[in-house]
Amino acid sequence: MSASRRLWTIVGGALLAAALAVVAARPLFFQDPAPQIHVRWRTPLDAAARDALERRFHLVPAEEVGPDIWRYELTDPSRDSVEALVRHPAVADTHYIDRDTFEIREDAPRARRRPTPLGEYWPEAAGALVDTGPIVLLLLAAVAARFAVRPHEAPAIAAFAVRVFTRAIPLISPRTLALFRLVFGLALAWYAFALRLDYIPLPVARTNVPLAHFALMAWLGQHPSVVHAGLWTAIVSSVLFAAGVLPKVLYVVSVAGITQWLLTATLWHSSHPYGVLLLPLVCLIAVPWGDAPPIARFLGRHPPPAGTPARRYGYAPWLLSLALGLAWAGAAWAKVGGGPAWVLNGSIRYHFVTDIEYAPVPWGLTIAAMPNVAVALSAGAVLVEGLLVLAAVLVTAPLLRLLAGAAALSVLAGFYLFMGLFWPAWWILLLGFLPWQWCDRGGHDGAAAVAAARVTRGQIWCAAGLALQQLIVSAVFIDLEPVASRYDMYSRTYP
């Protein structure tokens, strides 16, 4: 057996074993749905006595459906326990129990499954794991089995997928990368400077996000001075990075400072305004920032030469466009994944009304009074959100990419004008749709550019990971703020 076949065989076996392990571990995440029964208690029976009987017979109260009649979840449906319940003198009658065999009837409704302590940590992810995890793992095991039989197909498919996925990455020179670094670095410094005013410590932090359970996050939340110091470090580092001073090192410092701020901010409010920027910042560490000349060289008598354009430099703006496209694809799926009701109902008008007090202009109320216009705007918003990722990945013409960015800008401008929502992190990602390659017109050797057309393996893995995580998060509809989001804000369909 060749090495590649042996590898795919091992991978397939591991995936199959993982699928079986997830099925076997289901009780570690959720209890089986308990049957629901009705119990009519004999009167008089005070609350304390009823509570004692509920604990004795493992009854979880659901609701009172009538005088002295309660609906319960029966967490111990064993015959002995049920018989003791039926025969107890305080029980006048029961429903959904066969009083002859002391078994739960087949038509008894079932309660919602309850997470165990392990599942309570992140119920959405636990549900996705036990419900869809085995199916996905089995499908991947089947793919691995095919590659084990035909190992030559895997490299060819991978190469084709990489070509399609990265075809829109532009060729730009180190000099143009320096210009992009200047604009992007200053934008990060401005964003970090604006963030410093957004820290409002509250007595009680959010407890419905998994990050809140980490001791480090709790410590940062209790020490705002440390968080502020890290953010000021990020501001200074971003400015120096923009100027080209130790760009690789200072970019990592800047990302670390902004990241600790964003993680801590999640303990107090939703991450939708800024979480979209977190993973792209990390992915851009793979850019060879040090190859671009420092800005000081542009100020001398002899500006730096353009250098050889390469796609590994164009990866920087392209990744920003990819991140915005993926986020909006997730937002579009959250709105219409269950059907076109969000569009046909003109649901965007309801958000114009609820947020009108924050809007700088009253135009949202005018639109809300015109149902057909609201439907058209709802459809337009979903189309832009859904198609932007295709423009980011497939469109290579700079002018067409610029038009796609203008469409995205119009949506963000609508958020601000009609709802008062200005999320700087989303606006920064628009830099990826600017035609940066126009800065290199006529300034490089075409043959050398073709030779440098490949992106690095690290860049491919970063971009693929960014796309894969959004696909998984949107498919199973989970959140891990602020790292990953299904972007379902404003996706509710009103009656």
Side-chain angles (χ1 to χ4, degrees):
M1 181 183 292
S2 64
S4 59
R5 287 189 175 185
R6 186 180 301 108
L7 174 62
W8 283 113
T9 300
I10 294 173
V11 170
L15 290 170
L16 181 59
L20 296 176
V22 170
V23 174
R26 185 185 185 94
L28 299 178
F29 296 97
F30 292 98
Q31 297 176 353
D32 289 334
Q36 292 186 333
I37 63 172
H38 291 182
V39 176
R40 180 162 62 88
W41 302 101
R42 296 187 188 276
T43 55
L45 185 69
D46 58 30
R50 189 180 66 246
D51 290 344
L53 291 172
E54 289 169 351
R55 290 192 298 270
R56 175 181 172 183
F57 296 113
H58 305 280
L59 301 173
V60 179
E63 64 174 336
E64 187 175 9
V65 297
D68 298 312
I69 302 175
W70 286 77
R71 179 163 57 88
Y72 292 105
E73 296 178 21
L74 182 60
T75 58
D76 181 11
S78 63
R79 187 183 186 282
D80 292 341
S81 179
V82 172
E83 181 179 1
L85 172 65
V86 171
R87 295 184 183 279
H88 196 278
V91 176
D93 196 9
T94 58
H95 187 43
Y96 295 118
I97 293 178
D98 189 322
R99 299 176 67 85
D100 295 325
T101 63
F102 304 109
E103 295 179 350
I104 306 301
R105 284 167 37 182
E106 293 183 358
D107 60 341
R110 294 275 171 173
R112 295 180 59 184
R113 64 185 180 185
R114 293 180 178 273
T116 61
L118 184 60
E120 287 177 351
Y121 177 74
W122 192 6
E124 294 175 329
L129 176 65
V130 301
D131 292 338
T132 63
I135 298 175
V136 174
L137 291 171
L138 287 176
L139 290 175
L140 293 177
V143 173
R146 177 174 178 83
F147 289 157
V149 176
R150 299 183 178 183
H152 63 280
E153 291 183 355
I157 293 175
F160 175 77
V162 169
R163 285 197 303 272
V164 173
F165 183 54
T166 62
R167 70 187 302 268
I169 298 179
L171 284 162
I172 65 173
S173 67
R175 184 176 64 186
T176 299
L177 178 63
L179 297 176
F180 173 81
R181 184 185 61 202
L182 175 65
V183 176
F184 179 61
L186 292 178
L188 282 184
W190 162 72
Y191 180 54
F193 185 78
L195 281 176
R196 83 194 196 284
L197 302 175
D198 197 32
Y199 190 92
I200 307 176
L202 300 176
V204 179
R206 297 172 69 196
T207 58
N208 60 339
V209 290
L211 287 175
H213 300 280
F214 285 94
L216 175 61
M217 298 311 304
W219 185 87
L220 287 174
Q222 296 169 3
H223 296 80
S225 59
V226 176
V227 181
H228 275 282
L231 192 64
W232 277 109
T233 302
I235 295 172
V236 175
S237 298
S238 296
V239 173
L240 296 176
F241 159 75
V245 179
L246 297 175
K248 296 187 69 173
V249 174
L250 291 181
Y251 179 74
V252 174
V253 173
S254 176
V255 170
I258 294 176
T259 297
Q260 57 92 35
W261 177 275
L262 298 184
L263 291 174
T264 309
T266 307
L267 298 178
W268 279 274
H269 47 70
S270 171
S271 66
H272 285 145
Y274 54 80
V276 68
L277 193 60
L278 183 55
L279 286 183
L281 288 180
V282 176
C283 290
L284 287 178
I285 294 177
V287 176
W289 298 110
D291 291 359
I295 296 301
R297 291 189 59 189
F298 287 80
L299 304 178
R301 292 186 177 182
H302 304 287
T308 302
R311 300 179 78 196
R312 64 179 180 274
Y313 304 140
Y315 169 86
W318 173 80
L319 188 88
L320 297 185
S321 67
L322 175 67
L324 183 59
L326 290 171
W328 274 7
W333 177 253
K335 294 181 178 69
V336 299
W342 192 90
V343 172
L344 300 180
N345 196 33
S347 296
I348 199 170
R349 57 183 169 166
Y350 295 96
H351 304 300
F352 290 171
V353 172
T354 56
D355 291 355
I356 190 61
E357 61 179 304
Y358 311 108
V361 296
W363 304 340
L365 294 180
T366 304
I367 295 173
M370 297 185 290
N372 291 335
V373 176
V375 171
L377 286 179
S378 299
V382 169
L383 282 176
V384 173
E385 290 178 343
L387 297 178
L388 192 67
V389 66
L390 297 181
V393 174
L394 300 179
V395 175
T396 58
L399 182 58
L400 293 180
R401 292 182 63 84
L402 182 61
L403 292 176
L409 175 62
S410 68
V411 174
L412 291 176
F415 288 164
Y416 173 69
L417 291 175
F418 302 142
M419 302 165 64
L421 295 177
F422 179 68
W423 294 344
W426 296 72
W427 289 71
I428 290 176
L429 297 180
L430 290 175
L431 294 174
F433 288 97
L434 295 179
W436 295 97
Q437 57 267 56
W438 285 357
C439 299
D440 290 323
R441 284 184 171 177
H444 58 78
D445 181 1
V450 173
R454 302 182 68 177
V455 292
T456 67
R457 183 171 297 180
Q459 291 174 341
I460 293 174
W461 279 109
C462 287
L466 184 65
L468 183 61
Q469 68 84 23
Q470 188 60 57
L471 177 63
I472 294 174
V473 166
S474 293
V476 299
F477 217 59
I478 60 176
D479 267 336
L480 180 58
E481 297 183 64
V483 179
S485 174
R486 58 198 180 202
Y487 298 111
D488 59 334
M489 60 284 194
Y490 300 104
S491 63
R492 179 180 174 185
T493 300
Y494 291 86

